[in-house]
């Protein structure tokens, strides 16, 4: 579902990244390198695991400006226009983009990220598999999440389902669909939890 390295190598986009004193740093940086992207701007004060989480009030990138402040500062100093953050156990992913008008970084909601990723996954999968049976391609989200995936699925002829809140429900239903011969392309919940290619990563994963 991803851009080839030859396209990534030409990007002018710079990204700042923080694992928020958690374990995501080495894996995230390795993944970025594997796809031929420029190294991310690091946030040194938050780069190493530290269970005291000394630079934030609460180590959750959904918590707002306090959690993002050092990452935004590093991004601004380096001229990066995107900022990414994992929660400490790296199973969730948050993103923010610099606003050229206001000069400030604005975090995306989990629903906005889910909509962007869901659209991207299907667009790229359809390019790679132009003859695929769309009705066998599934998108899932929790019932409290945005209705965007459902609307896109209806427009594109894809299979879509909602589950109860929590990835155990999404994961169990995705596994059932895979056993029925479906290809589960993407699952998400609004609390910044995402899963691509369920057969490969059968849970939310903030890096993969």
């Amino acid at each position: 579902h991803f851009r080839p390295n030859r396209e990534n190598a030409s990007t002018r986009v710079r990204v700042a990244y923080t694992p928020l004193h958690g374990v995501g740093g080495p894996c995230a940086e390795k993944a970025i390198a594997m796809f031929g992207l420029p190294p991310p701007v690091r946030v040194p004060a938050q780069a190493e695991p530290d269970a005291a989480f000394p630079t934030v009030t609460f180590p959750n990138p959904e918590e707002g400006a306090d959690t993002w402040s050092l990452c935004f500062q590093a991004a601004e100093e380096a001229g990066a226009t995107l900022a990414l953050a994992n929660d400490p156990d790296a199973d969730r992913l948050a993103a923010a983009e610099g606003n050229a008008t206001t000069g400030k970084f604005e975090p995306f909601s989990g629903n906005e990220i889910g909509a962007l990723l869901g659209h991207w996954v299907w667009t790229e999968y359809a390019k790679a598999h132009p003859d695929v049976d769309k009705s066998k391609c599934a998108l899932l989200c929790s019932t409290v999440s945005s209705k965007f995936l459902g609307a896109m699925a209806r427009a594109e002829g894809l299979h879509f389902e909602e589950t109860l809140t929590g990835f155990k429900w999404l994961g169990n239903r995705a596994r059932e669909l895979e056993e029925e011969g479906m290809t589960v392309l993407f699952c998400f919940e609004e609390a910044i939890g995402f899963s691509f290619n369920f057969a490969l990563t059968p849970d939310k994963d903030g890096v993969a």
Side-chain angles (χ1 to χ4, degrees), residues 59-73:
N60 182 339
E62 290 186 285
E63 291 298 311
D66 172 68
T67 307
W68 277 111
S69 59
L70 289 181
C71 189
F72 289 171
Q73 179 182 337

